[in-house]
Amino acid sequence: MRNLKLYGLVLAVLFMALPVAPPRAQQTQRATTAAAKASIPSASFATARKEAEEITAAKMKEVLYYIASDEMAGRDTPSEGLDKTAKYIADRLAKLNLKPAGDKDSYFQTIELRKTEIDREKTRAEMAGRAFNVGNDFFPAGTTNGEVEGQLVYVGHGWVIKSKNINAYEGLEVKDKIMIVAGGGLNTPPGMTAADMKALPAGDWEDPASYARRNGAKGLVIVPRNFERVLRFASYIGSRPDYQMARFAEEADDAGAGGAKHIAAPVSIYPTGTLLDAIFAGEQATGAQVLQKAMTGAPLKGFALAPAKRLRFSVGLKITTATTQNVVAVVEGKDKKLKNEYVAVGAHYDHVGVGRPDATGDTIYNGADDDGSGTTALLAMAEAFSKAKPPKRSIIFIWHAGEEKGLWGSEYFTTYPTVPLESIVTQLNIDMIGRSKAEGDKNPKNEMLSGPNEIYVIGSKMMSTELASWSEGVNNSYLNLKFNYHYDDPSDSEQLFYRSDHYNYAKKGIPIIFYFDGLHEDYHRPSDSPDKIDYQKMEKVTRTIFILASEIANNQKRPAVDKQLSSERLGR
């Protein structure tokens, strides 16, 4: 599961992101709870219970010990370890004779990536004879190479929104100058949300990067509201290559700024406090004051830098390509009509790779629970369905790549699906189902970890009354796990609804359920290892999901979408 604190702030810190396009219209059918309960469990329920016995703790333990082994080196996206895992999954699917549903009759849906690396020899800054170094004093903040030198001009948040009478440039001339942008953030101006931006008419707004290029500014020095966290992230990616999904990056390059033809951003950097202090040395406001205003979203007003103050900096970036892949397979349905509809079951098979050593010196983040447990559960379900009586609808299994990078694989699949997206009736997402809270555990980091007979069920009630009722009906008639709905609370600080792959399906109007065991002390640490997994719990949860998928696949009707996600949820 992706870390909201790291990736939720900046989807790609090297780009000036634009608001997301609105999703397709959702279905508006209504179904009564009574009708839903009457259809679940179905006449085939007893058969499904027997078929679920193919899923065992022993089998899953063997698989997970391989997927979460050091050989896979933490399954970063992209990496050799992730590719090995993808091949392992595909080889097992082939042995089960599942139908490939990726590209060109293969199990792989290839995702081309844009790889960006900093050329440190060509990335430098200088001011008043003093040299500044990349990594210590500043970081690149865009994908434009080049060297610039010019007078500095302070432009505050740097946004223009005509309908709101917002114009950061009144009385300012930016031509041939380097703009200091403070307080505007990367995605929206102060006081505006992504949903607010979507509501604006085409051509109504312009971001700092577009304004700078269109009006002849030479470069940008950006001080975002989330300054410290952006710098931490920039520092992290500055030490290694940064990746973006190439098709999305190209579409962003071709997209409009406020409805106008996109103009590439000038050469841009993020300053650290060292460079910021140098820029504002001797001015009426210090670098610290500018930073404080920027972080509160209320930049200084009526402030101008000394005309003689000039800055020179250069950015050198090496941009090449790489690839990763989703793994996709189908168990075909038997009903002549319904086999063209799909119950989607998903998990992400990536993790965070190799990182800082823990107290034991271990640097491999094995990701046994996150999300080796979901990856393994999908394989167990695929095997069980391959040996079961074919359902009426088809079952599509999708192992998503790059979830930890910002839900890449699910965004790619729901944008460029290998089956018609409208034919997917439900998406069941399995992300961390292998850990249990031990009796007497007082560790505060395990406070929200679920028990051996408990699982968090997220989002089941948000879009479809029918799906929620079917989910509870299967559980109540089967193993009667404790379904915990805590994270459905929109005010919960963890905001888990946005942090795993189901979210991209929900945005497209597909009803979802997200199964999750809870955050724990080993989350995103090398200690998330397969020896700490509760395999009996994994078996129970996986069998429960298998039977629900079977019930949905065999029902004559698809779960009706009778609730709309709020604009706030869609805008995240």
Side-chain angles (χ1 to χ4, degrees):
M1 185 184 68
R2 71 174 182 143
N3 188 333
L4 180 68
K5 295 176 183 176
L6 183 61
Y7 294 107
L9 295 168
V10 187
L11 290 180
V13 76
L14 294 177
F15 285 87
M16 301 289 284
L18 293 175
V20 182
R24 297 181 314 174
Q26 297 177 315
Q27 295 174 281
T28 57
Q29 293 174 269
R30 289 193 170 271
T32 65
T33 301
K37 288 182 177 178
S39 60
I40 299 289
S42 68
S44 62
F45 182 74
T47 301
R49 288 184 61 144
K50 185 67 176 176
E51 292 166 346
E53 292 176 7
E54 187 69 37
I55 299 166
T56 69
K59 287 182 182 179
M60 290 196 286
K61 183 175 183 178
E62 181 181 355
V63 171
L64 183 52
Y65 260 86
Y66 180 73
I67 287 172
S69 67
D70 284 356
E71 182 182 344
M72 301 307 166
R75 308 188 308 277
D76 197 8
T77 305
S79 70
E80 182 181 353
L82 190 70
D83 292 345
K84 282 183 180 179
T85 308
K87 185 178 185 305
Y88 173 79
I89 295 169
D91 287 347
R92 291 183 70 94
L93 295 172
K95 289 177 182 178
L96 297 172
N97 292 317
L98 265 67
K99 180 181 178 181
D103 301 328
K104 301 176 182 177
D105 296 321
S106 77
Y107 291 110
F108 303 130
Q109 182 187 32
T110 301
I111 304 173
E112 185 174 313
L113 303 176
R114 178 187 286 180
K115 179 182 178 182
T116 304
E117 298 175 275
I118 297 173
D119 186 337
R120 293 179 176 272
E121 293 295 318
K122 296 180 180 179
T123 304
R124 61 180 71 90
E126 180 184 338
M127 186 172 182
R130 179 182 173 185
F132 297 89
N133 299 317
V134 64
N136 294 320
D137 306 317
F138 72 96
F139 297 93
T143 57
T144 305
N145 289 287
E147 181 173 345
V148 297
E149 191 272 336
Q151 180 185 338
L152 295 164
V153 57
Y154 180 81
V155 300
H157 58 68
W159 283 80
V160 175
I161 304 178
K162 298 173 186 176
S163 62
K164 303 289 184 180
N165 293 318
I166 295 174
N167 185 353
Y169 304 94
E170 290 181 1
L172 296 178
E173 175 58 60
V174 303
K175 183 176 174 58
D176 294 328
K177 297 178 182 178
I178 295 173
M179 288 168 32
I180 311 292
V181 181
L186 293 176
N187 300 313
T188 59
M192 299 284 287
T193 66
D196 295 333
M197 296 299 292
K198 285 180 185 178
L200 296 175
D204 185 56
W205 57 268
E206 191 162 24
D207 62 34
S210 175
Y211 188 94
R213 180 65 83 188
R214 191 172 59 80
N215 289 277
K218 288 185 173 181
L220 293 174
V221 177
I222 303 168
V223 188
R225 289 195 299 273
N226 46 342
F227 181 79
E228 293 180 357
R229 283 175 283 189
V230 167
L231 285 189
R232 282 200 300 271
F233 191 72
S235 176
Y236 171 80
I237 67 169
S239 63
R240 64 192 68 196
D242 177 66
Y243 296 91
Q244 285 187 301
M245 290 186 289
R247 286 181 78 168
F248 291 101
E250 290 164 4
E251 289 169 5
D253 289 345
D254 293 335
K261 178 65 179 175
H262 174 76
I263 307 172
V267 185
S268 306
I269 61 172
Y270 297 118
T272 67
T274 305
L275 180 55
L276 200 61
D277 285 340
I279 289 172
F280 288 92
E283 301 290 348
Q284 65 191 68
T286 67
Q289 289 172 325
V290 171
L291 175 58
Q292 181 60 36
K293 289 291 185 180
M295 292 176 72
T296 61
L300 299 165
K301 295 181 180 180
F303 171 70
L305 287 160
K309 191 164 286 188
R310 302 175 72 86
L311 173 67
R312 174 185 295 172
F313 65 87
S314 60
V315 170
L317 299 172
K318 303 173 186 176
I319 300 177
T320 54
T321 60
T323 60
T324 190
Q325 60 282 309
N326 291 326
V327 186
V328 193
V330 165
V331 171
E332 289 192 286
K334 65 179 180 180
D335 185 273
K336 181 180 289 189
K337 180 179 179 181
L338 293 181
K339 72 178 182 179
N340 295 317
E341 296 183 348
Y342 300 85
V343 178
V345 189
H348 71 91
Y349 72 106
D350 68 309
H351 194 52
V352 298
V354 177
R356 293 179 180 177
D358 62 9
T360 70
D362 191 1
T363 60
I364 299 177
Y365 291 61
N366 301 100
D369 192 28
D370 185 12
D371 186 27
S373 61
T375 299
T376 300
L378 248 65
L379 275 171
M381 291 174 64
E383 180 178 1
F385 271 114
S386 74
K387 298 177 180 180
K389 181 180 178 182
K392 294 177 181 178
R393 283 188 180 84
S394 297
I395 310 287
I396 185 166
F397 296 93
I398 310 164
W399 287 264
H400 301 105
E403 188 267 1
E404 300 287 1
K405 294 290 196 270
L407 314 187
W408 281 2
S410 54
E411 183 179 11
Y412 196 88
F413 185 86
T414 55
T415 306
Y416 308 108
T418 61
V419 299
L421 202 62
E422 62 273 14
S423 69
I424 297 178
V425 305
T426 302
Q427 200 267 344
L428 306 176
N429 181 38
I430 310 174
D431 189 354
M432 298 173 60
I433 60 166
R435 291 292 291 269
S436 294
K437 187 175 182 178
E439 187 175 349
D441 186 348
K442 302 297 183 182
N443 188 335
K445 291 183 178 179
N446 294 332
E447 180 183 0
M448 297 303 293
L449 187 56
S450 56
N453 202 53
E454 178 184 19
I455 195 74
Y456 290 104
V457 178
I458 303 171
S460 66
K461 301 179 178 181
M462 290 185 186
M463 302 175 69
S464 173
T465 303
E466 206 159 38
L467 179 60
S469 184
W470 290 1
S471 170
E472 291 181 345
V474 164
N475 184 53
N476 294 341
S477 301
Y478 185 43
L479 297 178
N480 201 28
L481 298 171
K482 179 183 177 182
F483 278 4
N484 191 324
Y485 296 100
H486 169 85
Y487 289 113
D488 275 355
D489 183 351
S491 64
D492 182 75
S493 61
E494 292 295 344
Q495 296 294 292
L496 286 166
F497 180 70
Y498 308 101
R499 292 173 58 180
S500 192
D501 289 311
H502 61 278
Y503 181 55
N504 282 317
Y505 292 84
K507 288 199 299 183
K508 298 291 186 177
I510 297 169
I512 61 89
I513 302 178
F514 168 26
Y515 299 90
F516 176 63
D517 57 25
L519 296 173
H520 51 73
E521 61 185 322
D522 300 308
Y523 171 67
H524 282 196
R525 295 181 61 81
S527 49
D528 182 7
S529 52
D531 58 299
K532 297 183 178 181
I533 296 296
D534 181 347
Y535 291 95
Q536 293 300 322
K537 175 176 179 172
M538 269 187 69
E539 177 186 286
K540 289 184 286 188
V541 174
T542 306
R543 286 182 175 186
T544 299
I545 300 169
F546 171 87
I547 294 178
L548 177 61
S550 177
E551 290 288 286
I552 297 170
N554 282 302
N555 201 296
Q556 283 298 125
K557 60 181 298 187
R558 58 197 290 166
V561 176
D562 59 353
K563 300 177 186 179
Q564 299 288 318
L565 289 177
S566 67
S567 59
E568 180 184 2
R569 288 194 183 276
L570 290 171
R572 297 295 287 267

